[in-house]
Structures are given as C-alpha cells and as structure tokens.
Amino acid sequence: MRHACFLTVGPARFRIGSDWRAPIDQLRALYSDYPMDEVVPDFTVRLQATSALRRFVRPQVAIAGDFTLPDAVPLPLHHGLLAAEMAMNLQMALGWRRHLLLHASAVSRQGRAVVMTGVSGAGKSTLSALLAERGWRFLGDEFVLLDPETGNIAPFPRPISLKNAAVAAMEHEIDDDSRFGPVLRDTPKGTIRHLRPRTEWIEQMARETRPGLLLFPRFGFPRAVRRMDEAESFVRLTQASTNYVALGERGFDALTGFVRSVPACAIDYATGDEGAELVERLWSETGAGAGDRAAAA
Amino acid sequence: MAEPAFAALPGHALKRVTLGGLEAAYHAPSGITHLLAEPLPDLLDALMRLAPGRFATSAEIVSGMSDRFELLADSPDEAPERVVCERLCELAALGLVRMHGQA
C-alpha cells in the first residue's frame, strides 16, 4: 500500500493501508488523540482501487483486508474515511474473538456502564454522544466488548458516527468545530459526520468497567418504558452480537451472565433530550444503586 | 416396536441457565443455544436424577416426577405418559437427550 497508518482503539490495533493519501490524512486527523504506534496489528485494512484506472478516474474505494464481504459495494473516494470506518467495523464484527461483541453503545458513571442496543436508527449513537457531553464517560457507540472471563466491558471509544438529524443536534450541543470530522454527504446512510470523543475518554480506554444497566432504546416513538425480562434480553442480544455463535460456550457464559447481572428496559422516546432524561431517571432508579455499591466495595 | 427410553446427555454436553421463567440451554456438540419453556427443564431434571447412562421410559419418568408434581394432561383423554413421551422425543430430535427404541 502506498499510504498507511496504525491505530489503537481500546484493545484492538489496526493497520490501515490505502492507494490514496486523502483517507489516511483524514483518519490521522480524526484519530489524532489515539495511539498510532507501529505495533503488530490485530487487523489489516486496505482501501484499494477497484482497478488501476479507478485510482485516477472517478476513483472508487474497495474495502479489503483480513475480513471482507464479497458483495460490498465500493465507495467514491470522497467517502474514503467512511470506507475506512466501515472496514474497521467489519474486522471487529467478523474477526474479534477476545470479547463477546454486542452491536451497542455504552456510557458509564461511577464505574458502572449503561449499555444501549438496537437496530440502526434506534438512536444508540446519538444517546451515547448526548450523555457523554453531560457528565458520562463514553465507552463506545458501535460495539460493546464484553470480557467472557470477567464480565467487564472493555471500552472501544471510536469516533461517534452521527447520521442525518443527529449531526445538527450534536453540532448544536457542542460549540467546538474541532471535535467534528468532515461532513460526508450522500453516503448509503445519508449524511454522516464523526464526532471525536473527548481526550480523557481516549486516555482512559484501557480501563474496564462493570455493566450496570441494559437499555433497548427506540427513537421517534411516544415516551414509554417497559421492563424487559432476562429471556427476552438474552434473545435480543444474541441477535445483536456479531460473534456469539463463533465464541461457543464462552459466548453463552458471557451473555447469560450479563443479562442476569443487570436490570433491562426497553425505552421509547421522541427527542434526544427526552431519551437522555429517561436514561438518567432509570439510572438513578436502578444502575446508580449498583454503582454506589461498587464504589463502596 | 420397543417402547422408547430416554437418558440425559453427559453433564458437559449440555449447559443450562435459568433466565426468568425460561431456560437457556447450550448444546456443546452442536454449538446451538436453545430456549426451553416448561415442562422441558423439568423433564431434563428428571433424567439428570437417574444414574449416569441409565435409560428410562416415559412411564418411569412420570412415576418419578409424580412425587414432585401433580401431572395433568390438557385433555382428560390424554395420558401424561404419552405427553411426556412426545416432549422427550422432541428433545431427542434436537439432540438434547439420548433415546433408545422407537415408538
């Protein structure tokens, strides 16, 4: 590869190579607070031209690397940053075995984490971004890494992928343009802009935390809260995990242990502020108690 | 036709965890997770109480369970032994219990 950089996010180390300089420069800027030491990587990602001609003429970025999807559609070069992010997600989703991976976001307070999972568009990224600006520690917006041996959550605080209306909402919340990446318009998921986590969350990304509360948020519905039982939580999380089957008995132990250790609720909310307020309220009713006990222990 | 008889899997082959009113069961040989509702966990428990490797007919299992449960079929015309046999055959089809003989 003509251009390359190394990135460490939480426990995972990536080497990203590219046929073009621009995506690597954008990654270096977006990840400027992260370790970039040239270490032996867990995964290698390549952003490469679909043909020699396509390096120059209407360049198209194809995702390659240790793990790929055969039918992945190439992206135009001006979406190269998105291609790199997608490729890193793909490596984690298909290749990571050290933790049980949940497609979820997470924030923590007092050493206890709120895990929020749901389908794309449920609002888990935006909720985690909002809470992280309001006194919570940001652990990740894409994957929650559950350690099968300890039951702890390993932070994986990638830049937060804001989509469509969430971009303006967070620009309104954070009056600091340096925290944001470039605006990526007309992507397959609409407009995307990445939000850089605060420096302190990146500095603390090796510090694991205990799970305290599990939420299944759903954005765009009238406010509602429903307690969810362990069996339903378990089934939903098997669907939200990318490597549950691959981990076998370790995955079963990790997931059953997780759903039995935390209270769980489905929450519907109409606005980001309402969602954040609901999380705060549920935390004070359930998770905060657990956090206080953990702090006292 | 021999009456079917059933036995529990070796202990390491099936890991079971109660999740509220249901039970998650991890079948190690296949790597498949099953979610079991009553009365299946009770039937698995009944087989586990047998001596290791011992097979029992549904009638023997019902007899053993009647000490602990009041066994009633949905229909008065339906014998509990037959219902238990059907459930155990379903568990055997999933590989969650061992079965000898065919009904």
Side-chain angles (χ1 to χ4, degrees):
Chain A
M1 290 274 104
R2 290 174 175 79
H3 310 279
C5 70
F6 289 79
L7 293 176
T8 297
V9 184
R13 295 160 300 183
F14 300 89
R15 177 181 184 272
I16 299 114
S18 171
D19 277 345
W20 305 271
R21 175 183 292 277
I24 298 299
D25 286 347
Q26 288 180 325
L27 273 176
R28 285 186 194 280
L30 190 62
Y31 284 83
S32 60
D33 293 327
Y34 294 74
M36 293 191 184
D37 311 311
E38 292 196 13
V39 292
V40 178
D42 295 292
F43 300 115
T44 294
V45 167
R46 296 192 303 278
L47 308 177
Q48 57 191 35
T50 50
S51 70
L53 186 64
R54 282 283 187 230
R55 231 187 104 209
F56 305 102
V57 182
R58 278 183 289 147
Q60 294 277 305
V61 183
I63 294 172
D66 297 332
F67 295 89
T68 56
L69 291 176
D71 53 352
V73 179
L75 292 169
L77 179 56
H78 62 273
H79 290 161
L81 178 62
L82 178 62
E85 290 285 303
M86 289 169 64
M88 291 161 72
N89 284 344
L90 195 62
Q91 307 313 303
M92 291 299 290
L94 299 182
W96 193 254
R97 295 287 185 275
R98 284 159 57 188
H99 297 86
L100 179 72
L101 249 71
L102 302 175
H103 187 218
S105 66
V107 294
S108 73
R109 186 183 273 171
Q110 297 167 290
R112 287 269 165 167
V114 178
V115 175
M116 296 171 281
T117 184
V119 296
S120 187
K124 56 187 183 302
S125 282
T126 313
L127 261 185
S128 66
L130 269 178
L131 291 164
E133 296 304 315
R134 300 177 183 183
W136 293 74
R137 177 185 170 209
F138 176 72
L139 304 177
D141 83 315
E142 185 70 24
F143 293 122
V144 165
L145 277 54
L146 202 58
D147 187 324
E149 274 69 50
T150 64
N152 288 343
I153 291 171
F156 189 63
R158 295 265 300 284
I160 302 160
S161 175
L162 302 170
K163 300 176 190 76
N164 302 313
V167 175
M170 290 312 297
E171 287 170 345
H172 179 73
E173 182 84 11
I174 302 170
D175 188 22
D176 178 2
D177 202 53
S178 70
R179 293 274 309 280
F180 293 91
V183 180
L184 306 171
R185 300 186 198 283
D186 302 320
T187 77
K189 291 189 172 181
T191 298
I192 290 179
R193 194 173 193 193
H194 291 95
L195 170 62
R196 295 166 54 183
R198 289 176 186 270
T199 308
E200 59 262 37
W201 303 322
I202 298 166
E203 290 171 348
Q204 295 172 22
M205 68 185 178
R207 211 180 77 207
E208 296 187 346
T209 181
R210 298 292 298 165
L213 178 63
L214 171 62
L215 297 176
F216 295 83
R218 214 165 51 134
F219 171 71
F221 291 86
R223 178 188 178 113
V225 177
R226 174 174 68 87
R227 186 69 190 257
M228 193 174 289
D229 66 29
E230 293 170 357
E232 185 179 354
S233 298
F234 176 79
V235 170
R236 285 197 181 208
L237 289 177
T238 58
Q239 295 163 347
S241 173
T242 59
N243 66 356
Y244 172 76
V245 172
L247 288 194
E249 193 168 340
R250 290 173 69 225
F252 178 80
D253 290 343
L255 199 54
T256 52
F258 177 56
V259 298
R260 294 178 71 177
S261 70
V262 292
C265 292
I267 60 170
D268 291 355
Y269 60 99
T271 67
D273 283 339
E274 188 175 59
E277 184 265 320
L278 265 177
V279 174
E280 292 278 4
R281 183 169 69 77
L282 289 168
W283 177 257
S284 66
E285 291 172 4
T286 56
D292 291 343
R293 287 193 295 277
Chain B
M1 291 285 185
E3 188 178 359
F6 305 90
L9 297 181
H12 62 270
L14 195 63
K15 182 171 263 187
R16 300 161 57 195
V17 174
T18 301
L19 297 177
L22 300 176
E23 188 174 282
Y26 179 75
H27 183 234
S30 67
I32 294 176
T33 303
H34 301 272
L35 212 54
L36 306 177
E38 286 185 354
L40 301 184
D42 298 324
L43 294 179
L44 291 174
D45 286 341
L47 292 178
M48 292 291 290
R49 283 192 293 273
L50 299 173
R54 188 186 158 223
F55 282 77
T57 64
S58 57
E60 291 171 318
I61 293 164
V62 167
S63 170
M65 292 179 75
S66 60
D67 297 341
R68 295 164 172 264
F69 302 101
E70 187 179 6
L71 297 174
L72 295 171
D74 291 338
S75 161
D77 301 329
E78 203 166 27
E81 292 80 3
R82 187 176 156 200
V83 176
V84 165
C85 187
E86 286 176 0
R87 297 291 85 78
L88 286 169
C89 285
E90 290 168 1
L91 287 170
L94 293 171
L96 302 185
V97 303
R98 298 163 68 198
M99 182 169 80
H100 274 174
Q102 294 293 322

